Amino acid sequence: MTNRFISSFWYADALGLLATLNHTGFCRQTLIGGNYGLLNRTTAHPNPDFFIAQLFHDLMGERVLSFTSDVKKKGLRTYAQCESGLGGNATLLLINVSPTVTFTAQIGAMAAGMEVFVLSAGDGTKAKWEGLDSQHIKLNGQMLQGTDEQLLPPLVPKAGAAAALSCGPLTITFARVRGVKACE
C-alpha cells in the first residue's frame, strides 16, 4: 500500500474479494503515518485509498451478489453487493487495470436507474505510469480536494444509463443500481 492512486486498484480488489469470502472487516496498518496511511501524514488530507474505503463503506452492503464477467483475464475485476438495508439497491464495483481497454458491463433489465462514481488518477508526474503515481484522485473527471473549512470533499455521483456501464482504462468504478429485485 502506498499514498498513490496505483495502490487503490489493489485496495479496492482486496475489499471486494474479501467480501465474497464472507469477511466483514478490513484493518489498515495505520490511519495516518508513513506513506501508507489513509490520511497524509503531514497535511491530514485524504490519500486516494481513503476515498476507496469511504465509497466501499457507504455503498457496499453485507449481502454479496453473483456478478460474473468473462473479461477478468483481460483486466477487469467485478464485484456486486446489496446496499445495507435491502432497499432494492445494489452497488457494482468494477476495477479496470487495463491501460488501453474500455469495458462495458451489460446491466440490462435488472436496473431501474444508476448513480456512478468513476475514480481515476489525479495529477501524476510520471508519463510512463499514466498518472498512476498521483497522490490525488479524480471523481467523475473532477479533482477531489478539500478546503481548509472542509477537509473531505463531497462524493457526488453522476447519473448513468441503466442498460450498460462503461469502465474506462485505469479506473475504479462504483455504480449504485436501483431496482434490483435480489436486494429487496
Side-chain angles (χ1 to χ4, degrees):
M1 293 177 279
T2 71
N3 59 351
R4 309 295 172 154
F5 181 68
I6 194 167
S7 173
S8 298
F9 292 95
W10 172 86
Y11 190 43
D13 191 47
L15 291 172
L17 181 61
L18 288 171
T20 65
L21 299 172
N22 295 319
H23 285 263
T24 58
F26 188 106
C27 292
R28 289 287 292 245
Q29 185 173 356
T30 183
L31 175 65
I32 188 168
N35 287 327
Y36 43 78
L38 291 175
L39 301 175
N40 181 293
R41 64 184 165 90
T42 57
T43 66
H45 285 95
N47 283 324
D49 283 358
F50 177 89
F51 297 106
I52 300 297
Q54 183 70 51
L55 286 168
F56 197 91
H57 172 270
D58 291 352
L59 300 174
M60 307 294 272
E62 292 182 18
R63 183 190 281 177
V64 175
L65 300 172
S66 176
F67 181 68
T68 59
S69 169
D70 61 354
V71 293
K72 282 186 182 179
K73 293 179 183 174
K74 296 178 183 175
L76 183 68
R77 302 284 298 184
T78 58
Y79 301 97
Q81 292 172 239
C82 293
E83 281 190 12
S84 298
L86 300 180
N89 293 336
T91 299
L92 308 176
L93 170 58
L94 294 96
I95 305 163
N96 185 351
V97 297
S98 172
T100 58
V101 179
T102 296
F103 295 101
T104 301
Q106 299 300 324
I107 308 302
M110 80 173 210
M114 192 175 346
E115 294 175 318
V116 181
F117 302 81
V118 178
L119 300 167
S120 59
D123 59 353
T125 59
K126 297 179 182 173
K128 68 178 182 178
W129 283 33
E130 301 192 43
L132 295 176
D133 63 318
S134 177
Q135 289 184 303
H136 302 284
I137 193 168
K138 292 180 183 176
L139 173 62
N140 299 324
Q142 301 297 312
M143 193 74 75
L144 282 176
Q145 292 182 337
T147 63
D148 289 338
E149 297 82 34
Q150 182 181 6
L151 282 178
L152 299 177
L155 302 177
V156 180
K158 65 178 179 179
L165 177 61
S166 179
C167 189
L170 301 174
T171 60
I172 300 167
T173 302
F174 288 86
R176 174 188 283 149
V177 182
R178 294 185 298 276
V180 179
K181 292 186 189 219
C183 295
E184 292 177 347

